[in-house]
Amino acid sequence: MLDLKELRDKIDIVDDKILELLNERMAYVKIIGEIKKNHNKEIYYPKREKEILDRLKNKNLKNLDHDAIELIYDKIFAVARTLERF
């Protein structure tokens, strides 16, 4: 069995990966924001956010319940909308 330090080290590795993936996601968000600006489209698109949440909730297989997924992605969406504006 792993000890506390080993488990925390594993969490640190996962956190690094999550941060890397969030940065990748936000790079795409910035590009999408430019496209929306160039085509005079709205930044906030609730239908797309709902589609993402529904897809992820259906995919979730383990430790996160639907409420947790919504809480996490509500923050991700908020950051994304801010980035799309700039």
Side-chain angles (χ1 to χ4, degrees):
M1 177 174 246
L2 298 174
D3 67 19
L4 190 58
K5 175 162 181 0
E6 291 171 321
L7 289 167
R8 287 181 173 158
D9 289 344
K10 290 191 175 292
I11 287 174
D12 289 346
I13 291 167
V14 171
D15 285 341
D16 290 347
K17 290 177 185 176
I18 291 169
L19 184 59
E20 183 179 327
L21 290 170
L22 285 170
N23 272 294
E24 181 180 346
R25 186 186 199 284
M26 295 308 160
Y28 294 125
V29 162
K30 284 178 152 184
I31 295 167
I32 289 169
E34 285 299 314
I35 292 168
K36 286 180 177 180
K37 279 183 218 172
N38 292 337
H39 292 89
N40 296 319
K41 297 203 176 245
E42 292 290 322
I43 295 297
Y44 182 51
Y45 189 43
K47 182 179 177 194
R48 172 67 177 144
E49 291 182 8
K50 183 181 180 333
E51 289 169 356
I52 292 168
L53 285 173
D54 290 346
R55 180 179 59 81
L56 293 174
K57 287 175 187 176
N58 288 327
K59 188 175 216 170
N60 183 38
L61 303 173
K62 297 193 180 186
N63 298 311
L64 294 174
D65 65 20
H66 290 183
D67 289 339
I69 292 169
E70 276 195 44
L71 284 170
I72 292 165
Y73 272 83
D74 281 347
K75 295 297 183 187
I76 291 171
F77 294 151
V79 171
R81 285 191 300 270
T82 299
L83 282 176
E84 279 188 33
R85 288 184 175 93
F86 297 104

